[in-house]
């Protein structure tokens, strides 16, 4: 027991203080000062603290009261009682210390209002007029107040005073030269608030406060503290808690969150708590494990790149949710930083202006933060962002939506605050402090709603769960783990690990995480309830407590001691692997550094490290590098895969696939090439996700090249084992070797465009070969695709060689035979492209134009026309030969060759008729031999040969005869009439159309009848053609041809 000057209290003083410190008196004080009925825990706490101070039991008291349960009123009541009993208890100066300016301002207003009401209250509750509550806005003012108290104390007339200040001011230079006295230190009581936060983060400031207030002048005793917190931490319990037996430290008085919820003091924040998950685009979820997905989820939830999507989600929820309430509900958005507050506030105002249907006033969307900061080269502070709309905590309560970062997160008391939106990851005591801001009660208020964008799987709820019961602290010692030699194995700060690249702009975990965020694409936001959320309860009557089954009887919980943070946060393998897993485009410098770090770890070959890399999915990361990296990146990735294959099955499959593809591309033995292609195809069939890897390793090109890489002799005699009869010698293009190559390209699917194009070309060639009817639509589609594939500028030589190997020349000749003019042009374009690897194809590509030129030839024939005539003549008189063993011919066939059929389809008959009229004797003889050779193949040719005794003589006779015709001319005209269909078909080549028109004008009835019939058959628009129109376009084209 002690007096104000450090001695013992007299028995009279003890009796006086004991008679005052009674529950009924303290309850009355609380009623007068707050104008409301006090809670029982407030009365109990004040009584217990005052009795303990009077008894001299301890000098440090920690009051653990759940947030929003009136601890500021407890603070005010203790301050009043100390001033009221200053003579009995010996305290004349009470210093209330906060760690936030906003909290300091709010506490000062509450305590000052409380003291003023009691200062003018009737006896015996009134205070002396000299008692005052002051606030030190600056360190200079704090020093002046301390010096004034010291002078008054030395003069023998101490003034009862309550001083509010912030912890940061005690370290100011203005207080560096201040010298406290033991007498003032003895009569000073310090009331730090929110000690769970301030004494963990600002230990240096706590020591500075103790020095300024003279703690060192009271050896063995120190200052007297009454500390308050709603979420005690290990540092707060260790500094201000009550020491119990067995090294346990506990709060002096407790009213925890579980009791507050049970008794209806605060609303339960867990009932309407939802997590908002960021659903990533499907391309970013490839081979991610659940752990990887959770980590990406946490990163995306805090990424400023997706801020607009989250703000839009907040407004779309807040606008409709506040409709129908009997009061103006407020929402609070907890941001990651001050810069995010500015960005989010501006974004929300823009959305509110663009979406008036949400019913949110853009002028009442405010952003609260302390001091200014540079943004886009401009310094922005709170007044510049909000104008005059936010100058105090009272202005903040009028906002519809309040964006905050640290400011107003704790200590903010507004019963209308109903909706909480969390963009920052919360853990530990801060999660409870923040998530209880909107849990105050008021009339008509529904359950408070929380949308957490940052926490996952109930993380924030688990952090809050600790404070639903008593909390104790057991002192412990943290020691570093010894190394192999017994010494502490620590790496000097700033020194990189062996094998790891030196620390640079891409070596820190934060830098790698920023690279991760740059790779992620957000698809949508989805709201869901975490599994640990308590069940919904039925709405209770206003004022009635919520009885939840989850609020069981609390039990004391121990806080684990947390070791010091790592001095150097270099990137870890897990982060590097995750970065490489989501690659979808070529690597940048930072991602290449991550690859180098992982390869360096793998190349060391340490079994433990290889297993750790395998567990994190390094094989999948290397697979992604192979798919999007350059040649150097692929080499590094493959070196890591070969190291990992002993401990990772996926890496082993990758290594085997790579080796098979490499051997198939380099070995000159066809059997080995075939076997390796079959092996690689089997691996892909077992693991389809490796098809993309195989495509980037060049498997498609190797398979395509193998079709033409080996000679026919190699392929025909490559194997005399069990598969001897499966060689190209016996089965041609259906042999096992070619089948293996095509199967390899088929296995690659959509991942190899060249292989896919080759497969489509193979199918199109088969389609063209199977068409026998004129005007088939499938022919046009197939030729169109072939032209697009072969005529593109970037068409590879391997693809063209494959086309040549698949007998494309013969197939295009068939298209000449059965196709219309458009089909012929497409087939010629394909042959022209194929001309890069085949001179014969280039020559055939010119055939349509040459025959068309020959059909309109004039005497004498040009050199190219003569060459075309010779080409057709050679094909017409030659016999189709069937190769046997590659060098012998046994039997002939009267059927025309494919090339001759193509000539006929392109109009060779018309060309030969033209030659009969304009060519020389030798040329006419050649044309006659062609017509004679094809007379059994072309329906019109026999009739033509019968219609003409001598074509030149008949045309000349009709041209020179008098009209009407008589004699020989009449006989020729009648012969033409008997074969009118054939004559009409070749009329342009005969050059007799003009003479027939003369017969229609000046001939007799027989002349007009025969000539008119031939002309009507030859020209569209005449009655015959109009009558034939009903046949349909395909039949008409066939008949016209």
């Amino acid at each position: 027991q002690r007096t104000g000057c450090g001695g013992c209290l007299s028995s009279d003083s003890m009796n006086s203080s004991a008679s005052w410190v009674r529950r009924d008196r303290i309850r009355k004080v609380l009623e007068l000062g707050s104008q409301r009925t006090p809670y029982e825990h407030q009365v109990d706490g004040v009584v217990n603290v005052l009795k303990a101070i009077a008894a001299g039991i301890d000098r440090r008291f920690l009051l653990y009261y759940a947030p929003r349960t009136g601890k500021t009123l407890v603070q005010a009541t203790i301050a009043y009682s100390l001033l009221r009993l200053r003579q009995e208890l010996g305290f004349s100066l009470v210093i209330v210390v906060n760690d936030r300016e906003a909290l300091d301002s709010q506490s000062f207003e509450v305590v000052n209002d409380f003291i003023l009401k009691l200062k003018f209250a009737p006896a015996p509750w009134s205070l002396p007029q000299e008692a005052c509550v002051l606030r030190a806005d600056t360190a200079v003012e704090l020093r002046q107040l301390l010096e004034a108290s010291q002078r008054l104390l030395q003069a023998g007339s101490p003034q009862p005073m309550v001083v509010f200040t912030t912890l940061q001011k005690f370290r100011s230079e203005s207080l560096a030269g201040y010298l406290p006295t033991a007498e003032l230190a003895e009569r000073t009581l310090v009331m730090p608030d929110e000690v769970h936060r301030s004494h963990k983060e600002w230990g240096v400031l706590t020591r500075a406060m103790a020095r300024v207030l003279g703690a060192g002048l009271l050896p063995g005793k120190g200052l007297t503290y009454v500390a308050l917190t709603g979420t005690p931490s290990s540092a707060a319990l260790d500094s201000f808690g009550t020491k119990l037996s067995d090294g346990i430290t506990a709060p002096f008085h407790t009213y925890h969150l579980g009791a507050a919820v049970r008794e209806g003091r605060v609303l339960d924040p867990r009932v309407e708590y939802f997590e908002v998950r960021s659903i990533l685009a499907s391309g970013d979820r490839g081979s991610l494990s659940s752990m990887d997905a959770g980590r990406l989820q946490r990163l995306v939830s805090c990424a400023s790149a997706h801020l607009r999507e989250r703000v839009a989600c907040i407004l779309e929820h807040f606008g409709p949710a506040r409709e129908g309430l009997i009061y103006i509900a407020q929402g609070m958005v907890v941001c990651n930083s001050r810069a995010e507050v500015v960005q989010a506030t501006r974004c929300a105002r823009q959305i509110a202006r663009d979406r008036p249907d949400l019913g949110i006033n853009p002028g009442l969307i405010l952003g609260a933060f302390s001091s200014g900061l540079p943004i886009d080269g401009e310094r922005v502070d709170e007044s510049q962002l909000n104008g005059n709309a936010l100058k105090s905590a009272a202005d903040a309560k009028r906002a519809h939506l309040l964006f905050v970062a640290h400011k107003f997160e704790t200590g903010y008391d507004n019963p209308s605050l109903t909706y909480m939106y969390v963009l920052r990851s919360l853990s530990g005591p801060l999660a409870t402090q923040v998530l209880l801001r909107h849990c105050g009660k008021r009339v008509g208020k529904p359950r408070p709603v929380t949308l957490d964008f940052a926490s996952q799987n109930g993380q924030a709820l688990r952090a809050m769960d600790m404070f639903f019961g008593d909390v104790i602290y057991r002192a412990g010692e943290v020691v570093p783990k010894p190394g192999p030699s017994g010494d502490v194995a620590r790496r000097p700060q700033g020194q990189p690990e062996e094998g790891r690249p030196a620390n640079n702009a891409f070596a820190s975990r934060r830098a790698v995480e920023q690279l991760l965020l740059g790779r992620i694409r957000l698809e949508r936001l989805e709201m869901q309830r975490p599994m640990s959320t308590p069940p919904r309860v039925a709405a209770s009557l206003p004022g009635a407590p919520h009885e939840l089954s989850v609020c069981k009887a609390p039990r004391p919980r121990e806080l684990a001691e947390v070791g010091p943070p790592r001095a150097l946060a270099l990137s870890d393998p897990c982060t590097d692997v995750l970065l490489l897993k989501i690659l979808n485009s070529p690597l940048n410098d930072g991602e290449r550094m991550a690859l180098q770090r992982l390869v360096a770890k793998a190349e060391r070959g340490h079994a433990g490290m290889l297993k750790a890399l395998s567990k994190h999915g390094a094989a999948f990361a290397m697979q992604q590098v192979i798919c999007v990296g350059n040649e150097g990146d692929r080499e590094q990735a493959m070196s890591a895969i070969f190291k990992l294959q002993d401990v990772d099955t996926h890496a082993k499959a990758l290594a085997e696939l790579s080796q098979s593809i490499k051997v198939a591309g380099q070995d000159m033995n066809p059997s080995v090439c075939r076997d390796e292609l079959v092996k690689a195809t089997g691996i892909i069939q077992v693991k389809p996700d490796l098809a993309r890897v195989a495509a980037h390793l060049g498997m498609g090109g190797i398979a395509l090249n193998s079709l033409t890489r080996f000679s026919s002799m190699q392929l025909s005699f490559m194997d005399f084992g069990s598969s001897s009869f499966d060689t190209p010698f016996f089965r041609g293009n259906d042999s096992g070797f070619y089948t293996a190559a095509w199967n390899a390209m088929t296995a690659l699917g959509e991942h190899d465009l060249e292989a896919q194009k080759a497969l489509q070309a193979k199918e199109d060639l088969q389609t063209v070969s199977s068409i026998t009817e004129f005007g088939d639509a499938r022919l046009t589609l197939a030729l169109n695709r072939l032209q697009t594939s072969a005529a593109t500028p970037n068409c590879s030589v391997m693809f063209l060689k494959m086309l040549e190997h698949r007998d494309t020349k013969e197939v295009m000749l068939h298209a000449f035979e059965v196709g219309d003019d458009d089909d012929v042009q497409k087939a010629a374009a394909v042959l022209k492209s194929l001309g890069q690897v085949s001179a014969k194809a280039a020559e055939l590509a010119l055939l349509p134009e040459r025959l068309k030129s020959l059909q309109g030839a004039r005497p004498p024939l040009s050199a190219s026309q003569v060459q075309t005539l010779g080409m057709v003549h050679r094909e017409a008189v030659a016999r189709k030969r069937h190769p046997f063993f590659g060098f012998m011919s046994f039997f002939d066939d009267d059927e025309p060759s494919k090339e001759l059929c193509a000539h006929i389809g392109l109009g060779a008959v018309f060309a030969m008729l033209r030659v009969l009229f304009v060519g020389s004797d030798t040329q006419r003889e050649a044309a006659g031999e062609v017509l004679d050779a094809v007379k059994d193949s072309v329906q019109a040719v026999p009739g033509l040969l019968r219609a003409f005794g001598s074509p030149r003589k008949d045309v000349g006779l009709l041209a020179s005869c008098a009209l009407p015709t008589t004699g020989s001319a009449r006989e020729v005209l009648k012969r033409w009439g008997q074969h009118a269909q054939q004559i009409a078909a070749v009329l342009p080549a005969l050059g007799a159309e003009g003479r027939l028109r003369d017969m229609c004008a000046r001939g007799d009835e027989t002349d007009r009848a025969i000539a008119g019939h031939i002309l009507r058959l030859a020209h569209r628009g005449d009655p015959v053609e109009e009558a034939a129109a009903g046949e349909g376009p395909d039949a008409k084209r066939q008949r016209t041809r």
Side-chain angles (χ1 to χ4, degrees):
Q1 299 178 4
R2 55 187 175 77
T3 64
C5 297
C8 294
L9 288 170
S10 64
S11 59
D12 294 339
S13 298
M14 276 295 298
N15 293 335
S16 176
S17 62
S19 64
W20 173 261
V21 183
R22 297 201 312 261
R23 291 180 55 83
D24 57 339
R25 287 179 177 260
I26 297 302
R27 182 179 289 105
K28 184 63 176 179
V29 170
L30 280 163
E31 288 177 356
L32 292 173
S34 64
Q35 304 295 313
R36 69 178 67 174
T37 302
Y39 299 146
E40 289 302 316
H41 74 276
Q42 294 174 317
V43 177
D44 292 341
V46 174
V47 170
N48 292 341
V49 168
L50 293 178
K51 285 184 177 181
I53 290 176
I57 297 174
D58 203 350
R59 301 177 71 91
R60 298 192 177 199
F61 308 94
L62 178 63
L63 304 183
Y64 165 30
Y65 294 158
R68 309 198 58 81
T69 57
K71 64 183 175 66
T72 305
L73 292 177
V74 172
Q75 199 176 50
T77 307
I78 293 175
Y80 162 82
S81 301
L82 292 175
L83 300 184
R84 177 74 174 73
L85 301 173
R86 62 188 181 282
Q87 298 297 332
E88 293 82 356
L89 299 181
F91 294 101
S92 60
L93 177 62
V94 178
I95 299 181
V96 182
V97 182
N98 293 292
D99 59 351
R100 298 280 195 275
E101 289 286 350
L103 181 59
D104 189 54
S105 174
Q106 293 177 45
S107 300
F108 170 74
E109 292 175 2
V110 173
V111 175
N112 185 46
D113 183 65
F114 188 95
I115 297 294
L116 284 177
K117 289 177 181 177
L118 289 168
K119 191 174 182 180
F120 297 100
W125 316 106
S126 61
L127 284 174
Q129 293 300 313
E130 63 269 18
C132 60
V133 181
L134 302 173
R135 184 184 178 201
D137 292 328
T138 64
V140 174
E141 292 181 6
L142 177 60
R143 177 170 182 168
Q144 291 172 353
L145 291 173
L146 292 174
E147 290 174 345
S149 297
Q150 190 171 319
R151 287 194 302 270
L152 292 172
L153 183 61
Q154 291 172 353
S157 57
Q159 181 181 1
M161 186 185 306
V162 180
V163 176
F164 279 79
T165 189
T166 54
L167 187 61
Q168 293 84 350
K169 294 183 176 66
F170 287 100
R171 207 182 179 194
S172 172
E173 294 180 359
S174 302
L175 290 169
Y178 171 73
L179 297 176
T181 62
E183 185 179 8
L184 181 62
E186 184 71 24
R187 298 182 66 89
T188 301
L189 184 139
V190 185
M191 298 180 69
D193 199 0
E194 304 292 351
V195 291
H196 65 277
R197 179 176 62 203
S198 58
H199 289 271
K200 179 179 180 180
E201 299 178 7
W202 294 295
V204 175
L205 298 178
T206 304
R207 292 192 294 271
M209 177 187 70
R211 183 198 66 78
V212 170
L213 298 181
L217 301 177
L218 303 175
K221 297 186 293 182
L223 297 170
T224 301
Y225 293 94
V226 178
L228 296 99
T229 182
T231 51
S233 63
S234 58
L237 285 166
D238 189 42
S239 300
F240 305 106
T242 301
K243 307 297 181 182
L244 304 177
S245 59
D246 299 331
I248 295 176
T249 305
F252 178 76
H253 190 251
T254 296
Y255 185 69
H256 53 71
L257 186 56
V261 170
R262 283 198 308 273
E263 297 175 9
R265 307 300 185 207
V266 296
L267 301 175
D268 193 342
R270 304 169 298 174
V271 178
E272 295 294 336
Y273 174 88
F274 299 92
E275 293 176 346
V276 181
R277 294 182 62 85
S278 302
I279 307 301
L280 306 181
S282 58
D284 297 334
R285 301 196 299 262
S287 56
L288 298 183
S289 63
S290 58
M291 183 182 299
D292 295 334
R295 185 169 185 184
L296 281 182
Q297 193 69 231
R298 290 190 293 273
L299 287 175
V300 173
S301 64
C302 300
S304 58
H306 307 300
L307 181 62
R308 182 175 180 84
E309 288 85 351
R310 296 198 295 273
V311 171
C313 179
I314 289 170
L315 267 65
E316 289 172 359
H317 175 270
F318 178 67
R322 60 202 293 264
E323 295 179 358
L325 299 179
I326 63 174
Y327 65 97
I328 300 177
Q330 186 182 51
M332 177 180 285
V333 184
V334 181
C335 300
N336 286 280
S337 62
R338 294 177 299 163
E340 188 171 274
V341 169
V342 176
Q343 296 170 6
T345 303
R346 292 173 174 173
C347 181
R349 289 172 180 169
Q350 182 62 46
I351 294 174
R353 282 192 290 267
D354 296 341
R355 295 282 304 278
D357 58 295
L358 296 176
I360 303 174
N361 185 354
L364 292 177
I365 298 177
L366 305 179
F369 58 95
S370 302
S371 46
L373 72 159
I375 296 179
D376 298 332
E378 174 188 9
R379 188 164 186 81
V380 179
D381 56 20
E382 201 175 70
S383 61
Q384 186 175 353
L385 179 64
N386 305 301
N388 297 324
L390 184 60
K391 291 187 175 180
S392 64
D395 295 332
K397 295 178 181 179
R398 289 191 288 270
H400 286 179
L401 199 58
L402 186 63
F403 290 83
V404 301
H406 306 296
K407 186 176 182 178
F408 294 139
E409 288 180 2
T410 59
Y412 179 72
D413 185 11
N414 181 15
S416 297
L417 179 58
T418 309
Y419 302 97
M420 178 71 68
Y421 305 95
V422 183
L423 302 182
R424 188 169 83 240
S425 181
L426 300 175
S427 60
L430 182 61
T432 304
Q433 292 282 343
V434 172
L435 296 180
L436 286 173
R437 287 306 97 203
H438 61 325
C439 293
K441 299 180 66 177
R442 66 158 294 159
V443 177
K445 184 174 182 177
R447 296 187 184 92
V449 178
T450 304
L451 265 62
D452 196 337
F453 291 78
S455 300
Q456 300 298 323
N457 301 321
Q459 171 190 345
L461 295 180
R462 288 193 297 273
M464 189 187 304
D465 184 64
M466 173 182 291
F467 304 106
F468 274 78
D470 292 328
V471 179
I472 61 174
Y473 170 69
R474 189 186 303 275
E477 183 181 4
V478 178
V479 295
K481 182 179 179 180
S485 62
D487 298 329
V488 177
R490 288 182 178 269
R491 185 169 65 251
Q493 181 172 352
Q495 178 179 337
E497 182 181 346
E498 182 183 357
R500 180 195 291 262
N503 191 19
N504 54 46
F506 301 110
S508 70
R509 182 183 300 177
R510 183 179 296 275
V512 177
E513 288 176 348
Q514 290 300 316
L515 292 172
L516 269 170
L517 292 173
R519 287 285 187 180
I520 294 172
R521 295 169 295 163
L522 181 64
E523 186 173 289
R524 69 182 187 278
L525 296 172
E526 186 176 279
M527 189 171 71
Q528 64 181 18
R529 184 182 295 276
M531 296 298 295
S532 57
T533 305
R536 291 177 180 267
V537 296
S540 304
L541 295 175
H546 294 293
E547 296 294 338
L548 297 178
S549 60
V550 294
C551 297
K552 300 178 180 178
R555 63 178 179 83
R557 300 175 183 239
E558 297 186 8
L559 288 175
E561 184 69 52
V562 180
R566 294 178 59 183
L568 186 63
L570 292 176
S571 178
D572 57 303
C574 180
T575 307
D576 290 338
V577 168
L578 181 56
L579 173 62
L580 298 182
K581 275 185 180 181
I582 64 171
L583 291 176
N584 50 24
S585 60
L587 283 71
N588 57 32
D589 293 340
E591 292 155 350
R592 199 161 279 118
M593 288 294 295
L595 173 62
Q596 292 173 6
R597 288 193 292 268
L598 291 175
V599 172
K601 286 182 177 295
E603 287 182 345
R604 281 189 229 133
H606 187 270
M609 176 57 69
L610 292 177
K611 289 180 179 178
L613 291 175
S614 174
K615 179 181 178 181
H616 293 317
F620 292 97
M622 298 302 112
Q623 173 181 325
Q624 201 67 13
V625 171
I626 293 172
C627 294
V628 301
N630 57 30
E631 189 63 32
D633 299 332
R634 283 195 285 271
E635 289 180 1
Q636 290 195 64
M638 288 308 307
S639 67
I641 286 172
F642 285 122
K643 292 291 184 181
L644 288 168
Q645 63 179 331
D646 294 333
V647 297
D648 192 297
T649 57
H650 192 75
K652 184 176 181 180
L654 280 170
E656 292 176 353
L657 177 65
S658 172
Q659 189 66 21
S660 295
I661 293 173
K662 182 178 180 181
V663 173
Q666 294 178 353
D667 201 292
M668 295 306 297
N669 187 332
S671 298
V672 175
C673 178
R674 177 198 60 193
D675 294 341
E676 295 299 331
L677 286 176
V678 170
K679 181 179 178 181
T681 304
I683 294 174
I684 296 174
Q685 290 172 347
V686 175
K687 289 181 172 290
D689 59 314
L690 296 185
R692 186 179 175 210
V693 180
H696 285 87
L697 290 176
M699 178 175 170
I702 291 172
L704 188 61
N705 188 37
S706 66
L707 296 173
T708 57
R709 184 155 60 102
F710 301 103
S711 66
S712 58
M713 187 66 68
Q714 285 179 290
L715 294 177
S716 297
F717 299 97
M718 67 179 180
D719 191 355
F720 290 95
S722 59
S723 60
S724 297
F725 293 98
D726 195 23
T727 62
F729 175 79
F730 292 100
R731 299 190 60 190
N733 287 333
D734 295 329
S735 66
F737 179 84
Y738 293 133
T739 301
W742 286 112
N743 287 342
M745 286 187 276
T746 304
L748 297 178
E750 61 183 7
H751 301 294
D752 193 310
L753 297 180
E754 189 77 1
Q756 194 174 16
K757 187 170 70 170
L759 290 167
Q760 185 62 55
K762 176 187 174 186
E763 181 180 347
D764 290 335
L765 289 173
Q766 293 173 349
T767 301
V768 173
S769 300
S770 65
I771 293 174
T772 58
E773 296 294 332
F774 177 79
D776 196 320
R778 293 179 300 157
L779 176 65
T780 302
L781 292 175
L783 288 175
N784 189 43
R785 285 194 293 264
L786 285 170
Q787 181 186 5
T788 303
S789 300
T792 52
N794 58 351
C795 183
S796 66
V797 175
M798 285 191 301
F799 180 78
L800 295 176
K801 287 183 177 180
M802 182 277 298
L803 291 180
E804 183 185 21
H805 173 264
R806 297 296 299 184
D807 300 326
T808 303
K809 294 190 295 295
E810 289 75 8
V811 175
M812 292 303 103
L813 289 175
H814 180 66
F816 286 164
E817 180 183 358
V818 298
D820 57 19
D821 291 341
D822 291 338
D823 298 334
V824 168
Q825 294 299 322
K826 291 180 174 63
V830 174
L831 288 171
K832 182 178 180 182
S833 299
L834 197 61
Q836 301 178 39
V837 295
S838 171
K840 181 64 175 178
E843 181 181 354
L844 291 175
L846 301 176
L847 187 59
E849 291 297 328
R850 288 182 173 180
L851 284 174
K852 186 176 181 180
S853 172
L854 191 58
Q855 291 171 11
R858 294 180 180 278
L861 298 182
S862 64
S864 63
Q865 292 170 342
V866 172
Q867 183 180 2
T868 304
L869 175 61
M871 181 191 308
V872 177
H873 181 263
R874 285 194 303 273
E875 290 295 329
V877 299
R879 297 299 184 185
K880 182 178 179 181
R881 303 185 181 279
H882 296 267
F884 188 68
F885 286 96
F887 53 87
M888 297 178 64
S889 298
F890 280 90
F891 54 88
D892 297 331
D893 192 354
D894 291 334
E895 291 295 325
S897 65
K898 289 185 178 180
E899 191 166 343
L900 180 58
C901 291
H903 294 169
I904 296 170
L906 292 174
V909 171
F910 294 92
M912 295 304 103
L913 289 173
R914 188 64 179 172
V915 172
L916 291 176
F917 290 97
V918 300
S920 63
D921 293 338
T922 304
Q923 295 165 352
R924 289 198 302 273
E925 182 181 355
E929 290 179 358
V930 171
L931 290 173
D932 183 61
V934 302
K935 65 183 178 181
D936 297 327
S937 303
V938 183
Q939 183 178 2
V941 173
L944 288 173
L945 296 179
R946 288 191 295 271
F948 295 116
S950 173
R952 289 175 61 87
K953 181 179 178 182
D954 288 348
V955 174
L957 183 60
L958 290 178
S960 60
C961 72
L963 296 178
T965 58
T966 58
S968 299
R970 177 61 63 93
E971 292 297 327
V972 170
L973 186 59
K974 288 181 178 180
R975 187 164 13 102
W976 281 26
Q978 294 172 0
H979 303 282
Q981 188 72 34
Q982 289 80 6
I983 295 296
V986 297
L987 190 60
L990 297 177
E993 183 178 348
R995 188 57 175 170
L996 291 177
R997 293 188 182 277
D998 289 341
M999 291 180 183
C1000 290
R1002 296 186 290 119
D1004 58 14
E1005 184 177 355
T1006 302
D1007 294 339
R1008 289 196 299 271
I1010 297 175
H1013 179 55
I1014 294 174
L1015 289 173
R1016 283 194 296 273
L1017 290 176
H1019 292 281
R1020 295 184 180 184
D1022 286 338
V1024 174
E1025 285 296 316
E1026 293 175 357
E1031 297 175 354
D1034 293 341
K1036 183 189 295 184
R1037 282 198 300 271
Q1038 177 68 36
R1039 179 181 48 74
T1040 304
R1041 191 170 183 87

